[in-house]
Amino acid sequence: MTDPNAIQPSELDQLPDRDPEETAEWQASLDAVTQAAGPHRAAYLMRRTLERAEGAGVVLPKLLETDYVNSIPTAAEPAVPGDEAMEARITAWNRWNAAAMVTRGSKYGVGGHIATFASAAWLYETGFNHFFHGKEGDGSGDQLYIQGHASPGIYARAFLDGRLTEQHLDNFRQEAGGNGLPSYPHPRRLPWLWEFPTVSMGLGPISAIYQARFNRYLTSRGIKDVSDSHVWAFLGDGEMDEPESTTALTLASREGLDNLTFVINCNLQRLDGPVRANFKIVQELEALFRGAGWHVIKTLWGSAWDELFALDTTGALVRRLREVPDAQIQTYQTRDAAYIRQDFFGADPALAEMAKLLSDDKITECFHFSRGGHEARKVFAAYKAALAHKGAPTVILAQTVKGHTLGTGFASKNANHQMKKLSVDEFKQMRDLLELPIADSAFADGQVPYGHPGADSPEVRYLQERRAALGGPAPARRVHPVAPLPAPADKAFAAFDKGSGSQSVATTMAFVRLVKDLVRDKETGKRWVPIVPDEARTFGMESLFPSLGIYSPKGQTYEPVDRDQLMYYKEAKNGQILNEGITEAGSMADFIAASSSYSTHGEAMIPFYIFYSMFGWQRTADQMWQLGDQLGRGFLVGATAGRTTLTGEGLQHADGHSPVIAATNPAALSYDPAFAYEVAAIVKEGLRRMYGQAEPGEDQDVFYYLTVYNEPLPQPAKPSAPGVDEGIVKGLYRFNTAESAGLTVPANAPRIQLLGSGTAIHWALDAQRMLAEEWGVAADVWSATSWGELRRDAMEADAALLRGEERVPYVRRALQGAEGPVLAVSDYMRQVPDQIAQWIEQDYTSLGADGFGLSDTRDAARRHFGVDAQSIVAAALAQLARRGEVKASAVKEAREKYGL
């Protein structure tokens, strides 16, 4: 493995050496010490020398930084194998159409961004022409994480190669009428083009890392050899401030993900102004990535700077570039040569002398236009070096000008991110600069035209030939025609139907037991991807360690401390479990990569990610939206769920609201099962819907969220009444009646319907008994497995009614004829069961755990929130009293009796 932090000889070649003989003497001395006293002594002397230099005021780059120059000097750049002139013309057309698309749409007020792609055009074009592998060749192709704000440029290129029409471009950000283009990379909105949603900034970087890691996982486990796939992530320098952008950098280097390249567009600007006004973002990022173990390539200056570096015999130019802050670099891009001569060159006598040798045009060319990220040859060299580097991931820091080629009104202006259009005169200036054959007469009625050289033009033929050679169009999303996965044997699910007898089993444990059986299935067992954020023992999953193994690219290079135990900690190169450490964001990124493997790689995988329910939707809900956008499939499992079940953990561990957040995600099917057989039935249905034979019109691109509890309780057998299986899936079924529960109630007793979800159904069952035995009230108990699915169905029924179709919501049909009022209770805030309130024909009220959680026993917490069995009894009596079915005094009597 090469050292990613080692300064390559080519980096030093960029700096002129005024005394090569002296340099050679120093190098020879170092070699002699290394040979005579060993590398440790040499390293010691180097550290002491650097400390002395720093103490003496000698200005040196930090150890994790190199000078503010290109890593690959011009002389070391390989020739670009294609037709550079042709590629320049293609890039010009793409620049034009990207700007035209956003400008034309601005009259409708739909917005759009022009400046980002203008700065990054060559970063993409070079990749499309020479590096990015498509999906029509061998393997899976490359995975491209496109910077969201650059989407107009990607659409412009798809227009040039015939994949989009002018009508599509005119419908940019106008999707409601069909044929529209989403604002950013949204696979759910444009599933044939976009693969990865990236514009929720920060999620692209972490997702790219875990995608590269998941590629290795698939290969190591023998699912599919995707070792030829490369992950390219295009990011903004401002985006790197997001914590998710850098949270997994050490994972990438630790696991040697040389199948991953970050390309950071360092135009030195974020949305409001400079990224690091008083500092240097490139140097900061270099130190960050080098420190994390990445290979760093800096592509900063264009070839126009070669003359300046050649004149820098004293190092004054390099020193000045290192000290000038980014905001001043931005200012130079907007000022004339006289200003630059005075402010930049005038700061040092040696530079002032150098400036006398430079024309104003030369100074303007260097400071206004010449950036490494704007030259195909320099970008090509960086990409080739990235692919050649082995043993570590690579980051390319490419310096550009935001708004490049859009004219002086755009380039480097603080407001250019919010500028949505160019005037006709500005377009004409852009046309002349790009040398495009667009006549003045084409600007009819002040409307900027789209430009296209023709379907059979040399430009289009070249573009298509290059893509054909690289495996077809890119970016592109493909859902490969794969047969539905065979359903696991019913035995695994039916084992829970008989209940647990007298044994107490928590639903968290029931889920884990089910998965243990499913991963043994000969057909689909290998496709399960268990994901856990360092809490496997909390959820009782340690028994899976020795049988499945924890994935590690190095296997197990040590003897585990618990090797003599049955459930020892086993890591393996082909391990099936992904144990990510304490990172919910990383675990979600794992889940997203696995959940969309059916499209990315044509291999359906079944991920389940189990986590503290409090730290799922609340902490990583943005990634759940990303998951839905990416059309991912799998099971999210919120374990140790509920506000009152996790005793002693307190406020920040007490989940009383995750189903509310889950209900906001259209792709999420949220369930709160009460019993083990319900867990089994829901997983069975999820496997059928997402991976099996879907019914006509059924959306397979969904994911399931199950809340499971850590409260051990006897698990009942599944009722034999008809409709139970349907009710579990749809969200509601009658578990029992007062009579079927063996309770004695008067013939004309008042009756109430108790709806409970999750662990709350046990309190409802206790209340059912108390109501019968102590108050002469008959209560029927219903299991509400999914308040959210009941609401979704009811809303669809409402929509059908507006279309003139007669359809009754399932929840209304299920409760039709049920006597008395309805009282719903859950271990979540009342907003969760209240999702269905408007569709209940009976009198309806609810109980829930609203407010902050607290540390105490389960009984005390439930009394505190008013959801325990006694509180349910009092609430039921109050509901009946309002209807005149019990005496009003019964409520007061109950409160006094139970100490409420």
Side-chain angles (χ1 to χ4, degrees):
M1 174 176 172
T2 57
D3 180 3
N5 290 331
I7 298 176
Q8 306 302 314
S10 59
E11 292 174 334
L12 300 177
D13 292 343
Q14 181 71 50
L15 310 178
D17 190 345
R18 66 177 183 180
D19 193 342
E21 184 177 346
E22 182 183 32
T23 302
E25 291 175 357
W26 278 76
Q27 292 172 336
S29 297
L30 180 62
D31 292 342
V33 171
T34 303
Q35 185 175 3
H40 295 294
R41 177 61 180 171
Y44 176 85
L45 292 175
M46 287 299 298
R47 285 197 301 271
R48 289 293 178 261
T49 301
L50 289 171
E51 290 171 2
R52 171 59 69 90
E54 183 177 356
V58 177
V59 180
L60 291 169
K62 296 178 182 177
L63 291 178
L64 292 176
E65 296 178 13
T66 60
D67 280 309
Y68 202 65
V69 298
N70 293 347
S71 300
I72 305 171
T74 303
E77 293 167 0
V80 179
D83 185 334
E84 292 189 54
M86 181 67 72
E87 293 175 17
R89 291 203 298 274
I90 293 171
T91 306
W93 285 116
N94 292 341
R95 289 181 182 277
W96 177 273
N97 288 321
M101 172 176 34
V102 176
T103 297
R104 286 167 69 115
S106 67
K107 66 181 180 181
Y108 302 110
V110 295
H113 302 290
I114 304 177
T116 294
F117 177 73
S119 68
W122 277 112
L123 302 180
Y124 292 106
E125 193 61 35
T126 304
F128 285 132
N129 286 325
H130 302 286
F131 294 96
F132 304 157
H133 290 92
K135 296 181 175 297
E136 295 175 2
D138 295 334
S140 302
D142 290 347
Q143 288 80 56
L144 307 181
Y145 288 76
I146 305 295
Q147 192 178 0
H149 293 142
S151 62
I154 308 305
Y155 291 140
R157 196 173 203 275
F159 168 65
L160 205 63
D161 73 6
R163 292 197 290 165
L164 293 176
T165 66
E166 286 194 12
Q167 182 185 8
H168 286 115
L169 300 192
D170 271 343
N171 286 338
F172 175 60
R173 290 193 171 197
Q174 298 173 74
E175 301 176 76
N179 272 335
L181 298 181
S183 52
Y184 303 126
H186 291 308
R188 187 169 285 273
R189 292 301 184 203
L190 201 62
W192 60 267
L193 180 72
W194 297 121
E195 253 191 311
F196 306 108
T198 53
V199 85
S200 188
M201 288 190 286
L203 299 191
I206 189 173
S207 294
I209 290 173
Y210 279 89
Q211 181 65 56
R213 197 282 193 93
F214 189 74
N215 291 356
R216 291 281 176 84
Y217 172 89
L218 284 179
T219 302
S220 297
R221 289 198 54 220
I223 303 293
K224 182 179 182 179
D225 185 356
V226 295
S227 53
D228 288 337
S229 290
H230 199 84
V231 178
W232 299 84
F234 289 84
L235 317 168
D237 48 359
E239 180 179 8
M240 299 310 295
D241 284 347
E242 290 285 0
E244 295 89 352
S245 294
T246 57
T247 189
L249 295 185
T250 53
L251 167 71
S253 59
R254 183 170 66 246
E255 299 201 359
L257 298 181
D258 50 22
N259 60 337
L260 170 67
T261 297
F262 275 16
V263 182
I264 302 181
N265 179 17
C266 298
N267 56 37
L268 314 186
Q269 289 183 250
R270 51 189 179 198
L271 308 190
D272 287 334
V275 179
R276 293 290 184 272
N278 296 297
F279 306 94
K280 302 190 79 63
I281 185 61
V282 169
Q283 299 299 89
E284 180 180 320
L285 291 175
E286 179 184 30
L288 175 67
F289 279 89
R290 282 185 181 274
W294 286 52
H295 176 225
V296 179
I297 298 174
K298 290 156 74 172
T299 302
L300 308 181
W301 306 111
S303 55
W305 282 82
D306 289 350
E307 180 182 343
L308 276 66
F309 285 121
L311 294 172
D312 185 28
T313 58
T314 66
L317 176 62
V318 173
R319 289 195 301 272
R320 183 69 176 138
L321 288 174
R322 190 165 62 232
E323 70 188 18
V324 174
D326 284 353
Q328 192 63 19
I329 292 287
Q330 182 183 344
T331 298
Y332 293 149
Q333 290 163 190
T334 64
R335 299 299 179 89
D336 60 18
Y339 176 88
I340 298 171
R341 284 182 186 276
Q342 178 180 350
D343 192 86
F344 182 84
F345 291 98
D348 187 291
L351 289 180
E353 290 300 313
M354 178 192 297
K356 294 177 182 179
L357 303 175
L358 304 173
S359 68
D360 285 355
D361 287 345
K362 182 66 176 181
I363 290 175
T364 300
E365 179 187 13
C366 288
F367 284 84
H368 285 197
F369 309 111
S370 186
R371 298 292 183 273
H374 295 323
E375 295 189 13
R377 186 182 179 99
K378 295 191 179 299
V379 175
F380 181 89
Y383 287 4
K384 187 173 182 180
L387 292 181
H389 188 83
K390 300 303 178 184
T394 294
V395 59
I396 297 169
L397 304 176
Q399 187 163 267
T400 65
V401 176
K402 193 168 186 178
H404 183 59
T405 74
L406 296 180
T408 56
F410 261 85
S412 292
K413 294 300 175 65
N414 279 338
N416 60 21
H417 188 77
Q418 305 302 326
M419 297 162 69
K420 311 300 182 187
K421 61 184 178 179
L422 279 72
S423 67
V424 169
D425 287 341
E426 287 171 328
F427 266 109
K428 290 179 178 178
Q429 293 172 10
M430 182 181 177
R431 172 201 62 190
D432 296 341
L433 176 65
L434 298 176
E435 299 180 349
L436 292 173
I438 300 174
D440 286 352
S441 59
F443 293 85
D445 301 322
Q447 176 82 300
V448 57
Y450 293 119
H452 200 293
D456 196 39
S457 64
E459 291 92 337
V460 173
R461 288 200 306 270
Y462 180 90
L463 182 156
Q464 294 176 340
E465 288 169 1
R466 292 305 309 144
R467 288 311 317 155
L470 288 166
R477 181 178 180 273
R478 296 285 186 270
V479 178
H480 304 265
V482 293
L485 295 182
D490 276 339
K491 180 181 179 181
F493 305 103
F496 296 89
D497 290 351
K498 62 184 179 182
S500 65
S502 60
Q503 182 184 7
S504 293
V505 178
T507 50
T508 295
M509 183 55 64
F511 177 82
V512 173
R513 289 183 182 179
L514 174 62
V515 169
K516 285 176 64 177
D517 290 338
L518 294 176
V519 295
R520 295 191 185 104
D521 185 84
K522 292 182 179 180
E523 296 288 339
T524 60
K526 68 179 182 179
R527 297 192 176 273
W528 284 87
V529 184
I531 303 168
V532 60
D534 199 37
E535 288 280 6
R537 298 181 193 279
T538 300
F539 309 133
M541 291 176 59
E542 64 269 28
S543 60
L544 298 178
F545 289 169
S547 58
L548 300 185
I550 300 166
Y551 170 73
S552 169
K554 289 185 175 294
Q556 194 153 38
T557 62
Y558 60 92
E559 182 178 357
V561 67
D562 53 1
R563 183 61 183 88
D564 58 341
Q565 298 178 16
L566 181 63
M567 293 184 288
Y568 71 97
Y569 195 81
K570 177 186 176 182
E571 296 188 82
K573 291 182 179 179
N574 63 346
Q576 193 164 350
I577 301 170
L578 293 173
N579 191 322
E580 292 307 338
I582 305 176
T583 168
E584 286 83 7
S587 300
M588 267 307 302
D590 256 339
F591 186 90
I592 291 170
S595 72
S596 53
S597 179
Y598 72 93
S599 62
T600 308
H601 295 299
E603 294 287 347
M605 304 300 286
I606 311 171
F608 79 86
Y609 165 35
I610 187 167
F611 50 88
Y612 266 107
S613 64
M614 187 65 167
F615 304 135
W617 287 89
Q618 174 168 300
R619 184 167 291 186
T620 56
D622 197 10
Q623 288 176 290
M624 274 78 163
W625 276 94
Q626 180 188 14
L627 166 64
D629 194 347
Q630 200 162 314
L631 294 89
R633 304 168 184 174
F635 296 95
L636 297 175
V637 184
T640 59
R643 182 144 281 164
T644 69
T645 55
L646 193 56
T647 56
E649 295 288 346
L651 184 150
Q652 286 189 256
H653 285 67
D655 172 24
H657 53 278
S658 67
V660 176
I661 309 176
T664 66
N665 192 308
L669 279 63
S670 176
Y671 285 87
D672 186 26
F675 305 123
Y677 66 79
E678 293 177 353
V679 173
I682 293 164
V683 171
K684 181 179 180 180
E685 170 64 11
L687 290 172
R688 181 205 65 79
R689 177 167 178 175
M690 295 185 291
Y691 300 97
Q693 191 63 53
E695 297 176 359
E698 192 172 42
D699 186 5
Q700 284 190 282
D701 299 322
V702 296
F703 59 93
Y704 281 66
Y705 174 55
L706 281 71
T707 47
V708 292
Y709 299 82
N710 71 326
E711 186 172 14
L713 292 164
Q715 295 294 324
K718 184 166 74 171
S720 58
V724 171
D725 288 323
E726 179 190 26
I728 292 173
V729 172
K730 289 187 175 294
L732 182 69
Y733 69 95
R734 182 155 47 195
F735 177 72
N736 69 13
T737 64
E739 292 77 10
S740 67
L743 299 172
T744 302
V745 291
N748 297 318
R751 187 172 291 271
I752 189 169
Q753 308 299 317
L754 301 179
L755 277 57
S757 68
T759 198
I761 201 169
H762 297 282
W763 322 331
L765 289 169
D766 286 344
Q768 177 190 48
R769 176 187 54 77
M770 295 166 65
L771 283 166
E773 295 176 354
E774 301 176 26
W775 304 97
V777 172
D780 300 339
V781 175
W782 299 68
S783 179
T785 55
S786 179
W787 310 101
E789 286 306 290
L790 292 174
R791 175 178 175 81
R792 196 192 304 264
D793 171 82
M795 291 173 66
E796 290 172 357
D798 286 354
L801 189 63
L802 292 176
R803 297 192 299 267
E805 304 171 17
E806 288 295 331
R807 180 176 161 190
V808 179
Y810 172 81
V811 66
R812 186 171 295 169
R813 285 190 283 117
L815 288 170
Q816 189 172 16
E819 298 178 35
V822 173
L823 173 60
V825 60
S826 83
D827 202 16
Y828 297 92
M829 57 196 301
R830 289 178 61 181
Q831 189 173 339
V832 174
D834 284 352
Q835 291 179 82
I836 65 171
Q838 70 185 83
W839 291 282
I840 305 300
E841 293 182 314
Q842 294 90 339
D843 291 339
Y844 183 87
T845 190
S846 63
L847 296 175
D850 286 78
F852 289 113
L854 74 165
S855 299
D856 213 311
T857 64
R858 291 189 179 112
D859 289 343
R862 287 161 188 168
R863 175 58 58 90
H864 170 81
F865 286 110
V867 294
D868 59 355
Q870 292 84 354
S871 298
I872 294 173
V873 169
L877 293 174
Q879 214 170 349
L880 292 167
R882 287 194 295 271
R883 297 163 56 92
E885 297 181 23
V886 300
K887 295 179 180 180
S889 60
V891 180
K892 180 180 180 182
E893 183 181 346
R895 294 186 60 82
E896 291 175 350
K897 178 177 181 178
Y898 302 135
L900 299 177

